Amino acid sequence: MIRYTSKLFNSNSIRSFTTNNNSKIGQIIGSIGVGKLNHVAIAVPNLKESMDLYRNVLGADVSEPADQIEHGVTTVFVGLENTKIELLYPLGDKSPIEKFLQKNPAGGIHHICLEVDDIYKAVDTLLKENVKIIDPKPKIGAHGKPVVFLHPKSMNGVLVELEQK
């Protein structure tokens, strides 16, 4: 068994878990420096309606839309007390969100984003452990920091974004 304990970034709380040595992800989790949940991304079919829902109905702080041309999306961030929600809307003909919305017309959870201490070390470690990375060359994400996406086949069916702290 591997026991992993870490003090959260800018937090006084301690988190810990125990995992079986046979778990590939469990064996490397401490070595890549996973930090807090940065955001949960939701693909939306109507950005204005979604912004209005979070701002006017739920009373959340909602950013202005920002086009992420390299990623083929328009993003809006909804600020919450302990994390963020990222609303994703298709941008351009080759948007991965357009394809997602074709399969899920009402929208839905697209990915989660976890912070890491060193994105380049994390990529090297994950590649050595045969964890599938969609593109191992980090790109600049919506927060102006390097990001990579881990393939759902390696992450229990969930698309996971890693973002440099």
Side-chain angles (χ1 to χ4, degrees):
M1 296 293 230
I2 295 174
R3 180 161 172 76
Y4 172 69
T5 303
S6 171
K7 187 166 183 162
L8 292 173
F9 186 71
N10 287 338
S11 172
N12 292 325
S13 62
I14 301 291
R15 67 184 166 157
S16 67
F17 64 88
T18 303
T19 185
N20 187 313
N21 283 340
N22 295 330
S23 166
K24 183 184 293 186
I25 297 301
Q27 290 176 2
I28 62 175
I29 192 87
S31 65
I32 66 169
V34 172
K36 69 180 183 176
L37 173 69
N38 184 285
H39 64 265
V40 174
I42 302 173
V44 299
N46 186 311
L47 190 57
K48 183 183 179 332
E49 285 181 8
S50 297
M51 291 173 64
D52 289 346
L53 171 68
Y54 283 96
R55 180 183 290 129
N56 301 334
V57 177
L58 298 178
D61 290 327
V62 177
S63 75
E64 291 301 314
D67 292 344
Q68 308 295 323
I69 295 168
E70 185 175 3
H71 297 279
V73 298
T74 298
T75 59
V76 169
F77 283 95
V78 179
L80 304 174
E81 186 175 326
N82 59 346
T83 193
K84 295 177 283 296
I85 295 172
E86 179 183 36
L87 303 177
L88 299 173
Y89 186 76
L91 176 66
D93 297 337
K94 296 182 181 179
S95 173
I97 301 306
E98 183 64 41
K99 187 174 180 179
F100 182 92
L101 289 172
Q102 286 173 1
K103 293 180 182 177
N104 306 280
I109 294 176
H110 183 262
H111 69 267
I112 65 167
C113 177
L114 304 173
E115 294 180 356
V116 294
D117 293 328
D118 182 335
I119 193 98
Y120 299 97
K121 179 182 174 192
V123 166
D124 287 344
T125 301
L126 292 165
L127 288 174
K128 287 177 189 169
E129 294 294 332
N130 297 315
V131 174
K132 294 179 186 205
I133 302 174
I134 293 175
D135 181 352
K137 183 180 177 193
K139 294 180 181 171
I140 299 302
H143 296 117
K145 298 177 182 181
V147 300
V148 295
F149 286 87
L150 308 183
H151 198 286
K153 288 182 180 178
S154 291
M155 301 302 296
N156 300 338
V158 177
L159 180 62
V160 175
E161 177 183 19
L162 297 181
E163 178 180 279
Q164 176 80 38
K165 284 185 184 175

